[in-house]
Amino acid sequence: GRLQTSLQAYPTALESGELWTLLTQIAVAAQQRGWHLYVVGGAVRDLLLAPDGTAISLKDIDLVVDSFRSPVVEGAGVVLAQQLQKQYPNAQIQVHGEFQTAALIWRTRAGHAPLMIDIATARTEFYPYPAANPEVEPSSIRQDLYRRDFTINAMAIRLTSPQPGLLLDFFGGYLDIQQRQVRVLHANSFIEDPTRIFRAVRFAVRLGFVIAPQTETFIRYAVDSGIYADLQTQQTQRRLPALQTRLKTELSYIFQTDSWAQSLGLLDKLGALSCLHPSLSIDADLWRQLHRVGRWQQRFMEEVGEDIGVAPWLLRLEVLLARVEVRSQIATNLQLPLGSIQRLQQLAPIEAHLSDTLQQTAQPRPSFIYQTLILYDLPLLLLISVRHPQTIGTYIWQYITQLIHVHLPIDGHHLKRLGYEPGPLYRQILTALTHAILDGDITTAAASAEAYLNRHYPLAQGGS
Ligand code: CTP
């Protein structure tokens, strides 16, 4: 009953109430084939967390099919999804072959988030070696729940008869929700899947839970075992790319929330940043950089009047990775966007170059700062300024707040009217004028610029 109330009230890509009808239809279809159907994972957790009778906000609903009278076939989830799609032609279907799951996706209905219903077949997973992607085989719902990360995510609600609405809670998830703790199901959980450390922190921070003491011990044990230490250097390990993708997903979730600092602090305390690099930890200076980058990105954009085109969470992650020398290798492994990888690749040589160039004289001329910095794009300059606020950073700020706003009193049309022959000379003249204005040699009045031209670029006698 409570599930029905919560789901009925929840506005989705479906009409109100339609979601419940839909779940009922899938349940009937499963029942007719002699299978059980369960809601599992995050939806059950969120339902139990929500006060009675309130709508819960789900971006996806995970369903699991299990044997009841008939043995469950490997593609049972796919069979049900295909059957349902006939009744809901505006749903898209996606089949993930490897794990034999199917997703039904409703994208449309203005103003509402898309809804995804995932239908899987109950399965057991085997981890052929630590941190591998699991290999799977069909199994019972209990086994399916046992392979999951935390007790609060390892509960199921049955939708089929007998006893529809029955809560399956084999591992004490309900109690953990009441005691507000994130707890793993078994000691090897983090050895099998290091991204679970990041998930433990994410759920703890998001829900205001603690990580259970023994679970924390398992995390430390996994970290101390050193199995993550060379995660980023062992390129050859089979399936490693899939693990990196999951790691990137977790990092992006963590860095995108307002409580990123709390999560990152906890990850640091647990030693989990060694999944990224064995020597990565956060000192006071790095904390300042991480806080600075968000504020400065905002001010950068206000100054230049445009979006600099990189998500704030990504720049913050770059600041973190920039702390270690193999930064671009890690960014590549994590499959970060190409822009991020390139920035991290260029960072060391460009910082060294700027530091040499701009600090060779006590007070470089504005035109010199301008021509030095105009070669680089704004996200890179931001990253560098955040890392070197007292040195190169002050020149970058001077460039962003003053120098790039230089306004030329004269343009190409004007030069033509004055009688200059169009060609490469124009660019040269305009650059020279820009520099002269920046250095205060001339004013921004047209007459001042023309006087400068007469002196430095006199027109040939009888010129056109
Ligand atoms: N899961 C797991 N181990 C992982 C990832 C996921 O055991 N490394 C299981 C959990 O049971 C989880 C479910 O798969 O509940 C779905 O994963 P996901 O969608 O990532 O998380 P949700 O619990 O749905 O959380 P969210 O609300 O953030 O989507």
Side-chain angles (χ1 to χ4, degrees):
R2 185 156 163 208
L3 179 66
Q4 182 174 358
T5 331
S6 299
L7 292 183
Q8 236 157 13
Y10 176 60
T12 66
L14 295 167
E15 294 296 333
S16 137
E18 207 179 351
L19 176 59
W20 181 252
T21 312
L22 177 82
L23 289 180
T24 312
Q25 281 169 339
I26 310 180
V28 169
Q31 186 104 41
Q32 282 166 352
R33 290 172 193 269
W35 299 333
H36 266 316
L37 184 73
Y38 297 92
V39 181
V40 297
V44 178
R45 176 198 68 222
D46 290 346
L47 179 77
L48 295 177
L49 275 165
D52 239 340
T54 51
I56 51 171
S57 164
L58 299 169
K59 59 182 178 349
D60 48 36
I61 296 182
D62 294 321
L63 302 177
V64 168
V65 192
D66 182 24
S67 57
F68 173 39
R69 282 198 312 276
S70 325
V72 73
V73 294
E74 206 171 272
V78 182
V79 170
L80 290 181
Q82 281 165 345
Q83 182 175 342
L84 249 286
Q85 203 217 3
K86 292 200 187 98
Q87 283 159 272
Y88 292 85
N90 59 341
Q92 285 176 347
I93 189 164
Q94 269 176 15
V95 175
H96 306 287
E98 199 186 357
F99 296 153
Q100 286 293 305
T101 67
L104 286 170
I105 304 160
W106 285 262
R107 293 183 199 283
T108 48
R109 196 148 108 82
H112 291 283
L115 172 74
M116 178 147 112
I117 296 187
D118 214 80
I119 314 178
T121 310
R123 62 182 191 249
T124 307
E125 292 179 349
F126 301 97
Y127 290 80
Y129 53 89
N133 244 24
E135 288 172 8
V136 299
E137 72 172 33
S139 155
S140 72
I141 183 73
R142 191 182 196 285
Q143 285 297 320
D144 185 285
L145 295 173
Y146 186 63
R147 75 185 165 83
R148 290 169 187 267
D149 50 5
F150 310 113
T151 61
I152 55 170
N153 288 339
M155 291 178 280
I157 295 174
R158 186 185 289 166
L159 295 177
T160 38
S161 300
Q163 289 184 282
L166 177 75
L167 175 71
L168 299 189
D169 176 17
F170 301 108
F171 316 107
Y174 188 65
L175 197 63
D176 284 335
I177 282 187
Q178 287 173 322
Q179 297 183 341
R180 309 189 77 76
Q181 60 177 356
V182 177
R183 188 163 63 86
V184 282
L185 279 69
H186 54 83
N188 276 336
S189 200
F190 298 110
I191 303 272
E192 287 171 354
D193 181 359
T195 60
R196 286 181 173 169
I197 303 180
F198 291 75
R199 290 175 61 85
V201 167
R202 176 157 72 89
F203 287 117
V205 169
R206 182 169 94 195
L207 305 175
F209 282 24
V210 295
I211 296 177
Q214 195 183 36
T215 296
E216 191 171 323
T217 308
F218 293 148
I219 293 179
R220 289 184 192 279
Y221 174 76
V223 169
D224 291 344
S225 75
I227 60 157
Y228 309 144
D230 44 14
L231 214 56
Q232 300 297 338
T233 46
Q234 288 185 5
Q235 274 304 291
T236 49
Q237 206 178 53
R238 199 167 59 102
R239 306 265 208 171
L240 204 50
L243 175 65
Q244 299 283 6
T245 307
R246 301 206 303 275
L247 197 53
K248 176 177 103 173
T249 306
E250 289 303 326
L251 283 169
S252 76
Y253 286 155
I254 285 174
F255 274 85
Q256 279 179 65
T257 66
D258 289 341
S259 19
W260 63 268
Q262 194 190 345
S263 303
L264 202 55
L266 192 48
L267 285 170
D268 186 39
K269 188 186 112 194
L270 293 167
L273 297 180
S274 65
C275 291
L276 296 173
H277 190 272
S279 74
L280 186 60
S281 67
I282 312 186
D283 57 18
D285 184 45
L286 184 51
W287 273 125
R288 278 193 294 274
Q289 291 179 20
L290 289 163
H291 282 288
R292 196 179 286 137
V293 68
R295 287 198 315 272
W296 284 18
Q297 178 169 12
Q298 192 61 39
R299 283 171 50 194
F300 248 63
M301 297 200 297
E302 281 160 18
E303 283 297 335
V304 300
E306 59 176 289
D307 190 336
I308 64 171
V310 185
W313 73 266
L314 197 54
L315 275 170
R316 190 169 286 126
L317 179 58
E318 289 174 28
V319 168
L320 177 71
L321 297 182
R323 182 44 74 97
V324 292
E325 222 170 288
V326 289
R327 47 184 83 100
S328 64
Q329 177 67 57
I330 304 176
T332 308
N333 293 349
L334 289 174
Q335 299 153 51
L336 296 190
L338 196 59
S340 299
I341 297 173
Q342 284 170 344
R343 260 190 300 285
L344 291 170
Q345 244 159 13
Q346 299 168 326
L347 194 61
I350 294 177
E351 280 180 344
H353 167 72
L354 291 181
S355 164
D356 282 355
T357 319
L358 294 170
Q359 295 179 121
Q360 62 190 219
T361 56
Q363 195 57 60
R365 292 195 310 164
S367 63
F368 183 73
I369 299 172
Y370 179 87
Q371 54 179 299
T372 305
L373 295 181
I374 201 171
L375 302 175
Y376 307 108
D377 64 14
L378 295 173
L380 179 66
L381 292 180
L382 175 62
L383 191 58
I384 295 174
S385 65
V386 163
R387 286 164 48 81
H388 307 280
Q390 311 289 343
T391 52
I392 318 174
T394 59
Y395 298 117
I396 293 177
W397 273 109
Q398 186 182 351
Y399 170 71
I400 295 292
T401 54
Q402 301 163 20
L403 308 183
I404 52 172
H405 300 298
V406 61
H407 178 74
L408 282 185
I410 276 179
D411 61 5
H413 299 295
H414 198 125
L415 290 179
K416 195 163 180 194
R417 256 183 286 131
L418 292 174
Y420 290 93
E421 197 68 54
L425 180 65
Y426 274 34
R427 170 174 281 275
Q428 200 186 321
I429 291 180
L430 294 174
T431 304
L433 279 173
T434 305
H435 292 176
I437 291 176
L438 288 173
D439 292 341
D441 296 341
I442 60 173
T443 71
T444 52
S448 177
E450 282 177 23
Y452 177 89
L453 290 179
N454 279 334
R455 250 178 295 130
H456 295 276
Y457 298 90
L459 286 163
Q461 286 298 322
S464 57

